[in-house]
């Protein structure tokens, strides 16, 4: 892909009120300003990735928001901004669309690439997964939800809405690359409620 490659708004994702575990997890991995529970957040993913530099510059010069992440790869780029003032985050979204010269509906509508619900997780698998996760530890006997979405940044919406729906544990989240992925654990009933909320959230996003 070259600098002249067609621009693509891969994800445009507003989180109205970030949840406690989601905020804690993002705060742990954030390269920039860490958000806190209750803030509003905007995730934007685009291609080519280098577009992120100019778009973030436009946003930060126009709106009072803090950047939590800026990841630029050759193919895709992603950034996140947040604020306690939701109006500022919504305005940041408007600035993004002005900077790229495209309407919101040009974004790619997300799809769920895969999902699995594993009941009564074996303690040995839980231990292996715990070596790689960045969030709450997974315990043997819990039910595990593994979900992948495309484009990757939309997994943030799925995780945040799932946490709103049920008292589940966010074990791991990855929102960079081709696919976004999350692991969540809890009781079987809570995981089913969280999964339903995540699916509804993903299916509610309009786009191409």
């Amino acid at each position: 892909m070259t600098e002249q490659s067609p621009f693509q708004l891969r994800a445009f994702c507003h989180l109205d009120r970030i949840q406690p575990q989601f905020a804690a997890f993002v705060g742990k991995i954030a390269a920039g300003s860490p958000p806190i529970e209750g803030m509003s957040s905007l995730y934007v993913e685009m291609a080519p990735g280098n577009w992120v530099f100019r778009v973030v510059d436009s946003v930060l010069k126009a709106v009072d928001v803090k950047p939590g992440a800026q990841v630029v790869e050759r193919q895709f780029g992603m950034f996140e901004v947040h604020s306690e003032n939701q109006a500022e985050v919504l305005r940041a979204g408007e600035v993004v669309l002005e900077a790229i010269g495209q309407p919101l509906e040009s974004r790619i509508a997300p799809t769920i690439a895969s999902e699995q619900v594993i009941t009564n997780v074996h303690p040995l698998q839980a231990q292996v997964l715990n070596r790689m996760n960045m969030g709450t530890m997974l315990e043997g006997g819990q039910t595990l939800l593994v979900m992948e979405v495309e484009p990757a940044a939309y997994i943030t919406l799925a995780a945040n809405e799932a946490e709103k729906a049920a008292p589940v544990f966010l074990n791991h989240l990855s929102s960079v690359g081709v696919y976004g992925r999350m692991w969540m654990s809890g009781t079987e009933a809570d995981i089913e409620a969280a999964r339903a909320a995540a699916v509804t959230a993903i299916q509610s996003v309009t786009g191409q």
Side-chain angles (χ1 to χ4, degrees):
M1 185 174 290
T2 68
E3 188 68 25
Q4 291 71 41
S5 298
F7 177 86
Q8 187 178 44
L9 180 59
R10 289 181 51 78
F12 184 101
C13 181
H14 173 234
L15 309 186
D16 58 350
R17 179 171 47 85
I18 60 176
Q19 298 301 293
Q21 289 189 68
F22 182 87
F25 186 94
V26 172
K28 179 177 181 179
I29 64 172
S33 172
I36 60 174
E37 173 188 354
M39 284 184 163
S40 180
S41 175
L42 176 70
Y43 283 82
V44 181
E45 181 180 327
M46 58 191 66
N50 278 346
W51 267 76
V52 164
F53 294 107
R54 69 181 73 173
V55 175
V56 170
D57 179 68
S58 297
V59 169
L60 296 181
K61 288 177 177 174
V63 189
D64 185 17
V65 292
K66 304 295 184 188
Q70 181 171 330
V71 179
V72 178
E73 299 177 334
R74 184 79 285 274
Q75 190 172 10
F76 305 138
M78 184 276 286
F79 70 89
E80 183 271 350
V81 294
H82 53 266
S83 171
E84 293 180 339
N85 187 336
Q86 185 170 183
E88 290 291 314
V89 174
L90 293 174
R91 175 57 189 149
E94 293 174 351
V95 173
V96 169
L97 298 176
E98 291 165 6
I100 64 176
Q102 293 194 8
L104 176 61
E105 292 308 310
S106 68
R107 66 183 173 182
I108 296 176
T111 57
I112 296 175
S114 72
E115 57 172 315
Q116 298 183 51
V117 174
I118 302 168
T119 59
N120 193 23
V121 171
H122 195 286
L124 291 176
Q125 181 170 203
Q127 294 292 58
V128 171
L129 294 176
N130 284 334
R131 291 177 180 272
M132 296 179 284
N133 80 34
M134 298 285 284
T136 305
M137 294 296 108
L138 173 64
E139 300 176 14
Q142 289 183 319
T143 293
L144 174 67
L145 169 65
V146 180
M147 179 176 287
E148 293 179 313
V149 304
E150 182 182 15
Y154 286 116
I155 198 65
T156 58
L157 176 65
N160 198 56
E161 293 303 309
E163 188 179 339
K164 286 181 183 177
V168 290
F169 303 99
L170 178 58
N171 307 117
H172 195 70
L173 179 73
S174 174
S175 59
V176 177
V178 177
Y179 300 104
R181 183 178 298 105
M182 70 172 177
W183 305 344
M184 280 189 158
S185 60
T187 67
E188 185 172 356
D190 287 340
I191 284 296
E192 286 297 338
R195 174 198 163 277
V199 170
T200 297
I202 291 300
Q203 291 178 341
S204 70
V205 178
T206 58
Q208 298 183 351

